[in-house]
Amino acid sequence: MRLVNNARNAIDLRTTPVHLGLGSSAKPVEGFAWDPRVLQAYSAAVAADGAEGRMVTIFDGDGPGDHWERHPAGDELVVCLSGSVTVTRDLDGVPDRVLLGPGEATINPAGAWHAVDMTGPASILTITAGLGTDHRPRTGTRPGERAGPPGPEETP
């Protein structure tokens, strides 16, 4: 995983996220993967940006999401590019659902547990404050309840 300076070619946000950092910088993240070691390397590489750093990426999917997540460092923008998407937030144990169609967006407030479900094939673009992100399996429990062993970001 490496951050690229002065990228001039087209970037596929499905495979190569872009990190928005301090000083209005934008750097593609080559070799990125949703793997604990790569995530740790990415976090270390962008640590100086603190809570102001953002990751921009596109996700394609079909069906319910398999996890809850929250981003304590800042708000997250979720934009539906195609298909139909439901974003569910847990607000003190009460589900808050927002249905999005193409071109529509919602903002997940900092620290709010949320999950994304795609009805049929769909694509979303996210702009996320990733610092300190937490994940929980989506197994029918409320997101604040532990449904399994802690993930790598929760290990002391």
Side-chain angles (χ1 to χ4, degrees):
M1 187 285 322
R2 72 181 185 99
L3 298 175
V4 178
N5 292 313
N6 302 319
R8 294 193 170 102
N9 296 323
I11 302 162
D12 183 348
L13 290 173
R14 289 169 173 84
T15 58
T16 305
V18 171
H19 177 77
L20 304 178
L22 298 179
S24 299
S25 65
K27 297 178 181 180
V29 185
E30 286 188 346
F32 185 81
W34 297 104
D35 170 88
R37 288 188 298 183
V38 175
L39 289 169
Q40 186 175 18
Y42 168 73
S43 294
V46 300
D49 293 340
E52 298 305 313
R54 299 287 184 271
M55 177 184 277
V56 181
T57 192
I58 292 176
F59 295 96
D60 298 314
D62 182 357
D66 63 356
H67 67 278
W68 290 96
E69 66 179 16
R70 66 178 171 178
H71 313 288
D75 298 341
E76 175 184 54
L77 178 68
V78 178
V79 181
C80 179
L81 300 175
S82 65
S84 178
V85 176
T86 301
V87 177
T88 303
R89 294 181 277 259
D90 183 286
L91 302 178
D92 297 321
V94 178
D96 173 48
R97 291 182 180 87
V98 179
L99 178 63
L100 302 176
E104 295 180 323
T106 191
I107 297 169
N108 291 320
W113 284 102
H114 57 276
V116 177
D117 298 316
M118 299 177 170
T119 305
S123 294
I124 59 171
L125 177 135
T126 62
I127 302 174
T128 306
L131 184 68
T133 293
D134 289 320
H135 293 95
R136 294 266 193 264
R138 196 167 176 197
T139 59
T141 61
R142 288 185 32 221
E145 297 172 352
R146 204 169 283 282
E153 61 276 313
E154 300 171 22
T155 314

